[in-house]
Amino acid sequence: MKISNKHTGKVRSKTGKIILYAILAAMLVCGLGVYFASQIPDKYYIFENKAQDLENALNQDGFRPVTSTVSVSDSGIEVDFKFLGIVPLKSSEVQVVSEQSLMAGGQPFGIKFYTDGVLVVSMTDVETESGKVNPAYNSGIRVKDVLTTVNGTKIKSNEHLTELIKNCGGSEVAIGIKRDKLIFEVKVTPQKDKYGTYKLGCWVRDSTAGIGTITYYDPVNKTFAGLGHGICDSDTGELMTLSYGKAFGADIFSVIKGVAGTPGELRGTFDENNRIGTIYKNCDMGVFGEADGRSIPDGEIYPIAFKQDIREGEAEILCTTDDSGVHSYEIEILHIYTNSVKTTKNMVISITDEALIEKTGGIVQGMSGSPIIQNGKIIGAVTHVMINDPTKGYGIFIENMLDQTK
């Protein structure tokens, strides 16, 4: 029997469409798998003998395209994720930690911060008798560099750098530099300005001070943490390298209300005689210190919760906006980024408490570090405000902050 070319063409056309749809479906599944895998953290934390609690927490939201199974073996604990319960996505490490409770903060504190070396914040030409020159820039020094040494001598402050350059007598000097993760030296010949002073041709900064909010105090280890983000230079935006720092009690005396496009601010003073402790670390997740026991304010003790335990919905923050002390204010957690590791934007939050909105407009500068409480547990801290809507901002997971104390 002879089959017409017309009929054969239709069969081939249908077969081609089926193959095309199959390829598109496979590409869609692969694309979704890659996307969901990217949303899964590489590490989870659980308390001892609580592996089942992790699995329950990850799967308690009903149907989800990604399912998880916790497996316990002699080599450790892993959580395996599958797409639609069939396609393997990834396996994440599970780290077992001891149960921990913290004293929630919410109190303002003042910080005096001294850099390790000096930070270059701008370049400025040296006006010599023969014209303007910039020996620092010409030697390769750039804004955001940290100058650490002069001819091997560690730079202690702005004034110390000025003295070292002045004493060089115009001779070439070796300047030690830290730039990101690079450490190197450059050769610079300081130039004499029209007043007879030898200069490099750059402005530097060696310290800063400000007010933030304490997130927690660990009564076991006698440590504390605050801000939920690092202290950065106001001109360059660079994280400032820490030589040493001190923390003091502070009082809030006024509030500049935040509006769309302009962040507000808590204004206050701190008393250097009312010392809390010593700052030993400044990093992306906040500032961390050792308490000396003289001025740690009292607060309520809360158990900690991990990211898998946090849920979108109602929560509260603790903060201070005047001289009446710490108060609780209602917020809503709008979104949780469980894949956010080593970052300060793990949650999107919204201020819903009318009393706080009336007073501050929402989140303002100085509230960074305000602890976030949900279901009777401390889950994180406020870190940033959304400039276009001060009622909304970001929060960091408490586990990310605690990880910096280990």
Side-chain angles (χ1 to χ4, degrees):
M1 179 183 296
K2 185 177 180 180
I3 301 176
S4 69
N5 289 336
K6 182 177 181 181
H7 182 72
T8 303
K10 288 182 178 180
V11 172
R12 290 176 177 172
S13 177
K14 288 181 179 179
T15 302
K17 287 182 179 180
I18 292 173
I19 294 173
L20 176 60
Y21 292 150
I23 292 173
L24 292 175
M27 292 176 63
L28 177 61
V29 170
C30 290
L32 289 172
V34 170
Y35 168 75
F36 285 120
S38 71
Q39 303 300 301
I40 298 171
D42 294 325
K43 180 187 289 187
Y44 284 93
Y45 296 93
I46 63 169
F47 297 128
E48 296 171 331
N49 303 317
K50 299 289 186 179
Q52 187 60 49
D53 289 352
L54 172 61
E55 187 164 351
N56 292 339
L58 291 172
N59 292 299
Q60 73 175 12
D61 293 332
F63 173 78
R64 297 191 310 161
V66 177
T67 58
S68 58
T69 303
V70 177
S71 57
V72 181
S73 66
D74 293 338
S75 59
I77 304 174
E78 283 189 345
V79 54
D80 299 310
F81 294 89
K82 293 182 178 180
F83 180 50
L84 299 176
I86 302 173
V87 182
L89 291 179
K90 70 181 294 184
S91 295
S92 296
E93 174 191 353
V94 178
Q95 183 171 332
V96 179
V97 298
S98 300
E99 294 195 44
Q100 187 174 6
S101 294
L102 302 169
M103 180 185 294
Q107 305 88 355
F109 73 129
I111 303 166
K112 291 193 72 173
F113 186 101
Y114 298 88
T115 59
D116 184 17
V118 294
L119 176 69
V120 178
V121 297
S122 67
M123 311 300 293
T124 179
D125 291 340
V126 180
E127 294 189 22
T128 69
E129 292 181 353
S130 56
K132 294 181 179 180
V133 294
N134 195 307
Y137 188 87
N138 293 338
S139 71
I141 294 174
R142 296 293 182 265
V143 170
K144 300 183 181 181
D145 285 348
V146 176
L147 310 186
T148 57
T149 58
V150 175
N151 288 338
T153 299
K154 185 175 175 62
I155 300 170
K156 299 177 182 178
S157 65
N158 296 349
E159 292 77 12
H160 188 216
L161 174 62
T162 299
E163 180 183 354
L164 291 172
I165 297 303
K166 178 181 177 181
N167 292 339
C168 76
S171 300
E172 182 183 76
V173 295
I175 304 289
I177 294 176
K178 285 196 294 187
R179 179 183 296 166
D180 297 325
K181 295 182 180 180
L182 298 176
I183 299 176
F184 58 97
E185 280 190 347
V186 298
K187 302 291 187 179
V188 189
T189 302
Q191 297 295 310
K192 185 186 294 186
D193 68 10
K194 59 184 179 180
Y195 302 106
T197 302
Y198 287 103
K199 292 184 175 181
L200 287 178
C202 58
W203 289 101
V204 296
R205 180 169 291 139
D206 64 1
S207 63
T208 190
I211 289 178
T213 298
I214 295 175
T215 302
Y216 67 80
Y217 168 65
D218 184 342
V220 175
N221 297 315
K222 310 298 182 185
T223 57
F224 63 94
L227 297 186
H229 61 71
I231 295 176
C232 296
D233 178 69
S234 58
D235 291 310
T236 66
E238 289 293 291
L239 188 71
M240 298 183 73
T241 58
L242 174 67
S243 175
Y244 68 97
K246 299 176 182 178
F248 307 92
D251 296 306
I252 303 300
F253 60 76
S254 68
V255 177
I256 297 178
K257 194 171 181 178
V259 296
T262 305
E265 180 184 2
L266 297 180
R267 290 192 169 181
T269 59
F270 57 88
D271 181 2
E272 294 189 27
N273 295 317
N274 185 17
R275 180 167 161 172
I276 292 175
T278 302
I279 304 294
Y280 66 81
K281 179 183 281 190
N282 176 49
C283 65
D284 290 338
M285 272 63 77
V287 295
F288 300 83
E290 295 178 349
D292 60 20
R294 286 185 285 169
S295 186
I296 290 294
D298 291 331
E300 187 173 347
I301 301 292
Y302 293 90
I304 67 170
F306 299 120
K307 55 176 163 274
Q308 66 264 15
D309 303 311
I310 304 171
R311 293 291 175 265
E312 294 178 1
E314 295 180 355
E316 62 182 301
I317 63 170
L318 306 177
C319 64
T320 303
T321 59
D322 53 33
D323 59 4
S324 64
V326 179
H327 292 280
S328 170
Y329 297 99
E330 296 175 353
I331 69 167
E332 182 179 1
I333 298 175
L334 301 178
H335 192 75
I336 303 163
Y337 299 100
T338 55
N339 65 312
S340 297
V341 180
K342 305 296 185 185
T343 180
T344 61
K345 296 181 179 180
N346 306 135
M347 299 173 270
V348 177
I349 64 173
S350 175
I351 304 296
T352 58
D353 197 298
E354 291 299 329
L356 185 59
I357 293 174
E358 175 65 26
K359 184 158 193 175
T360 65
I363 301 169
V364 297
Q365 296 178 40
M367 284 173 59
S368 295
S370 298
I372 303 173
I373 311 296
Q374 188 181 60
N375 296 325
K377 297 180 179 181
I378 182 168
I379 65 171
V382 177
T383 59
H384 298 85
V385 61
M386 293 185 182
I387 300 299
N388 293 329
D389 184 355
T391 65
K392 293 182 175 62
Y394 295 96
I396 184 175
F397 295 142
I398 194 66
E399 65 194 59
N400 284 2
M401 294 184 71
L402 288 171
D403 192 49
Q404 298 303 308
T405 66
K406 299 174 184 177

